[in-house]
Amino acid sequence: MNADPDGCKRETLRQIEFAKSRRQERELKSYKDGGLGPKFVLVIGCSTGYGLASRIAASFEYGADTIGVSFEKEATDVRTATPGFYNNQAFDEAASNEGLISRTFNTDAFSHEAKNLVIEEAKKLGRKFDLVIYSLASSVRVDPDTHEVYQSVVKTQDCYYKGWGINILQDCLMDGESEIATEEDIKNTVKVMGGEDWQLWIEALEAAGVLAEGCRTLAYSYIGPKESYPIYRDGTIGHAKAHLEQTAKKLNEQLASELGGAAYISVNKGVVTRSSAVIPVISLYLSVLFKIMKEKVIHEDCNQQMDRLFAERLYTEKNCAPGAVPVDEKGRIRLDELELREDVQKEAAELMAKVNEENFHELTDVKGYIHDFYAINGFEV
């Protein structure tokens, strides 16, 4: 609903300090010190969550220069800016203090203008991107050619769906429900959240000559527990994720043949986001998951996930050089292996079956879940 500007800055700086600590622990070298890791990185959707964590890892663990794109609302006389606006400010300031190049464009990433701004800036700097991360989270897309507006929705495909969710403001359970999607709903959600714009970005960057030899590109996805499949993997969002994975295969072939590069989907762990909070069952599941994973000391936030993505999946050779990327049978990077571990999922299913309005504080980590949501907005920091 609003954000605390100072809290957002402090939370961003906390994430940056984590990245710096991992750089020391892993003894990572920046490219300026002879490291062979990322040098010039573009993050599309850079202001919060996994996008911000990716940019922080690239810059403050590996010393990469970055360009970020996100669409944030600035403050008005009656309300604060969106959290990502303050996060971007904090990132740019911290990067500048470290002597890193950081350019952030506050514009609609779906637009031609955004692509042109990034290309012009890369050419002005005389640089080529060796890593492009597509982490865009938007519910609306305006086609830059036709000006048609597409709206994504969270609906099931075959059946009416109902389940518990968490009311964050009142700290209680609430009924969540979803209608059955129409074909138009599915088409619109794929248009917004699928891979079409990711492909347009890569094609525009390659045509402009600002992708380096061996350039890699990634987009992020989520699978989650079987209990959430009707509303997630088998619903409108699932169709969009399937399209994203198909796009990754096309881009992988394209980049491999033309630049010796690659494209990947990274399936990440479930974390608290502004969007996941309104999906029935997902919020309750995450509060159960957090309890289990914290007790087993395997819980990770966005920054811990991105630290592993870079160090244990992408840049695994000597001096942080790009290495062979471990993937599953569908060619996807898996960072959700701890979440989907058999013992974790077994306990989660058992707790989900027991949760009710009287015991959910005892059986879940709802306080941790709510704290993470507030921290996204700069509160409780």
Side-chain angles (χ1 to χ4, degrees):
M1 296 172 66
N2 52 27
D4 182 323
D6 188 53
C8 290
K9 178 177 180 179
R10 288 172 183 264
E11 175 62 9
T12 301
L13 293 178
R14 179 196 68 77
Q15 296 178 48
I16 289 172
E17 287 305 312
F18 168 79
K20 289 180 178 180
S21 71
R22 295 303 286 155
R23 179 181 64 197
Q24 292 180 341
E25 291 168 14
R26 293 187 182 275
E27 299 181 343
L28 302 173
K29 288 184 178 181
S30 73
Y31 78 91
K32 294 175 183 177
D33 296 323
L36 301 175
K39 303 174 182 64
F40 192 46
V41 179
L42 171 63
V43 182
I44 304 156
C46 66
S47 59
T48 59
Y50 280 121
L52 176 61
S54 302
R55 197 178 187 193
I56 287 173
S59 284
F60 294 97
E61 288 193 52
Y62 292 85
D65 299 317
T66 65
I67 292 181
V69 180
S70 65
F71 197 21
E72 303 296 332
K73 294 181 180 178
E74 299 187 32
T76 68
D77 291 340
V78 295
R79 68 184 300 142
T80 61
T82 49
F85 181 84
Y86 303 116
N87 295 343
N88 287 339
Q89 285 186 328
F91 178 92
D92 285 338
E93 180 180 354
S96 177
N97 291 338
E98 294 282 328
L100 299 169
I101 293 173
S102 174
R103 303 284 189 270
T104 303
F105 295 108
N106 187 20
T107 186
D108 178 9
F110 293 121
S111 68
H112 295 313
E113 177 192 21
K115 297 171 179 65
N116 291 335
L117 284 170
V118 168
I119 290 168
E120 289 171 8
E121 189 65 23
K123 289 184 174 180
K124 187 189 303 182
L125 294 169
R127 304 288 294 277
K128 294 185 178 185
F129 298 109
D130 52 87
L131 179 63
V132 177
I133 292 174
Y134 191 85
S135 184
L136 202 60
S138 176
S139 60
V140 178
R141 177 183 178 185
V142 179
D143 188 292
D145 296 317
T146 67
H147 304 294
E148 187 173 355
V149 179
Y150 299 92
Q151 179 86 40
S152 67
V153 295
V154 180
K155 292 184 179 181
T156 60
Q157 183 174 353
D158 301 318
C159 60
Y160 178 77
Y161 187 78
K162 187 173 183 179
W164 289 114
I166 293 176
N167 185 321
I168 289 175
L169 296 181
Q170 297 183 18
D171 188 11
C172 65
L173 293 182
M174 63 180 182
D175 284 327
E177 55 187 32
S178 170
E179 300 173 353
I180 299 175
T182 64
E183 287 299 319
E184 189 74 7
D185 288 331
I186 294 172
K187 184 189 78 171
N188 288 348
T189 304
V190 170
K191 190 78 173 179
V192 177
M193 301 178 66
E196 182 179 85
D197 187 58
W198 181 23
Q199 183 162 356
L200 290 174
W201 267 98
I202 297 302
E203 289 176 350
L205 296 169
E206 186 178 9
V210 293
L211 293 184
E213 287 290 327
C215 177
R216 290 173 169 180
T217 184
L218 291 90
Y220 298 140
S221 188
Y222 180 64
I223 291 178
K226 292 181 180 178
E227 290 81 2
S228 70
Y229 280 13
I231 191 68
Y232 201 87
R233 291 298 296 189
D234 296 337
T236 52
I237 296 179
H239 280 272
K241 296 301 184 184
H243 188 272
L244 197 67
E245 293 180 14
Q246 292 166 8
T247 303
K249 292 179 181 179
K250 294 178 183 177
L251 290 176
N252 188 58
E253 294 175 0
Q254 176 183 331
L255 290 175
S257 64
E258 297 172 7
L259 291 171
Y264 299 99
I265 293 292
S266 177
V267 181
N268 301 337
K269 170 186 175 291
V271 294
V272 180
T273 65
R274 290 159 66 89
S275 56
S276 69
V278 299
I279 302 177
V281 173
I282 292 291
S283 56
L284 178 60
Y285 162 74
L286 289 177
S287 68
V288 168
L289 178 72
F290 289 2
K291 175 181 174 64
I292 295 168
M293 296 189 75
K294 287 177 181 178
E295 289 174 351
K296 295 180 181 292
V297 198
I298 54 174
H299 178 70
E300 293 175 317
D301 61 17
C302 290
N303 298 93
Q304 291 166 313
Q305 284 264 290
M306 293 301 97
D307 168 62
R308 283 210 295 132
L309 172 66
F310 277 66
E312 299 175 14
R313 301 293 190 272
L314 297 177
Y315 301 101
T316 55
E317 297 297 321
K318 187 177 180 180
N319 285 341
C320 308
V325 179
V327 294
D328 67 9
E329 69 282 357
K330 294 186 178 180
R332 303 172 299 194
I333 297 171
R334 300 300 294 269
L335 290 173
D336 62 342
E337 79 281 21
L338 299 178
E339 173 183 346
L340 296 187
R341 212 168 70 181
E342 185 176 352
D343 61 322
V344 173
Q345 286 302 303
K346 182 175 182 293
E347 290 183 39
E350 291 172 352
L351 289 178
M352 290 284 285
K354 296 177 182 177
V355 169
N356 58 45
E357 292 171 292
E358 285 71 43
N359 64 18
F360 86 100
H361 278 97
E362 174 189 348
L363 298 184
T364 74
D365 181 30
V366 65
K367 289 186 177 180
Y369 178 89
I370 292 176
H371 165 76
D372 286 359
F373 185 86
Y374 276 112
I376 291 172
N377 297 274
F379 300 103
E380 292 191 4
V381 176

